[in-house]
Amino acid sequence: MVIDHAAVGLIEQSELASGAAWSLCGTAMRLVGRVAFPLFAFMIAEGAAHTRDRRWYALRLLLLAVISEIPFDLVAGDQNTVFTLLLGLLAVWAGDLICGTGSGVSYGNREKTGDGGREAVGQRRFPLEYERYIRVLAAVPFGLAAYYLKTDYGFMGVLLIVILYTLRTEPQLRTAV
């Protein structure tokens, strides 16, 4: 991500972009930097599945988004990527609440199971084959918020996080995405 933002701030928004070599360098830097968001989306999906308290997780993302907004505006303009990650986490959380599954149902409070592990409180409300579609529909308001707030990656960024979370039990399909 640093390489991507350096390309925007140092090459594309300066007089360096006028030369062919610098333009090619900037394009290469942007391509390398574009790998960061899918990795971040994956980590948000994993974090949503494994965190003990989503409220605290979301609050930390919000704090990071607010702190990083001024430097991001100075370099790139629109709302930063962390807002997209936060909206993706909220979309996952909403999907869990609607479907009655995942750690989002218990707001981070979990019950101890007999085998020493921890189990999320909740009961599935929809048949498993419909759950994917319901999660995508639950993500629409958050994706629209990302679009209208002009966050990096917008609607598609939020949707990617929800898809990666939804496919966490199917590693081959998740890798293909």
Side-chain angles (χ1 to χ4, degrees):
M1 185 170 69
V2 170
I3 293 170
D4 182 54
H5 288 61
V8 172
L10 299 175
I11 296 176
E12 291 181 7
Q13 294 182 355
S14 70
E15 294 176 11
L16 291 176
S18 61
W22 281 109
S23 180
L24 182 61
C25 179
T27 301
M29 289 171 69
R30 293 297 306 260
L31 289 173
V32 168
R34 290 297 165 170
V35 173
F37 185 80
L39 292 174
F40 291 154
F42 172 78
M43 296 308 292
I44 292 294
E46 284 297 302
H50 298 290
T51 189
R52 289 189 210 182
D53 189 348
R54 285 194 184 165
R55 289 177 293 187
W56 181 238
Y57 189 30
L59 185 63
R60 286 183 301 198
L61 277 174
L62 177 62
L63 183 63
L64 178 62
V66 169
I67 289 171
S68 63
E69 184 59 27
I70 292 173
F72 191 86
D73 282 344
L74 292 173
V75 173
D78 299 330
Q79 299 292 327
N80 68 47
T81 308
V82 185
F83 282 108
T84 308
L85 298 174
L86 174 61
L87 288 168
L89 174 64
L90 295 176
V92 164
W93 197 353
D96 277 351
L97 289 171
I98 291 168
C99 292
T101 60
S103 62
V105 175
S106 63
Y107 296 96
N109 300 322
R110 297 179 179 206
E111 293 179 351
K112 191 84 166 162
T113 59
D115 63 355
R118 293 189 176 270
E119 187 68 35
V121 178
Q123 184 175 0
R124 191 175 302 279
R125 294 188 182 115
F126 300 99
L128 190 57
E129 58 270 11
Y130 298 126
E131 194 172 298
R132 289 181 182 169
Y133 305 110
I134 292 167
R135 288 182 182 282
V136 170
L137 287 174
V140 169
F142 299 95
L144 289 174
Y147 173 78
Y148 286 113
L149 290 172
K150 295 182 177 16
T151 65
D152 263 9
Y153 299 95
F155 191 98
M156 296 305 286
V158 172
L159 190 60
L160 176 63
I161 293 168
V162 171
I163 290 171
L164 290 173
Y165 179 81
T166 303
L167 297 177
R168 68 190 180 283
T169 58
E170 300 180 44
Q172 291 85 9
L173 189 54
R174 189 180 195 183
T175 302
V177 168

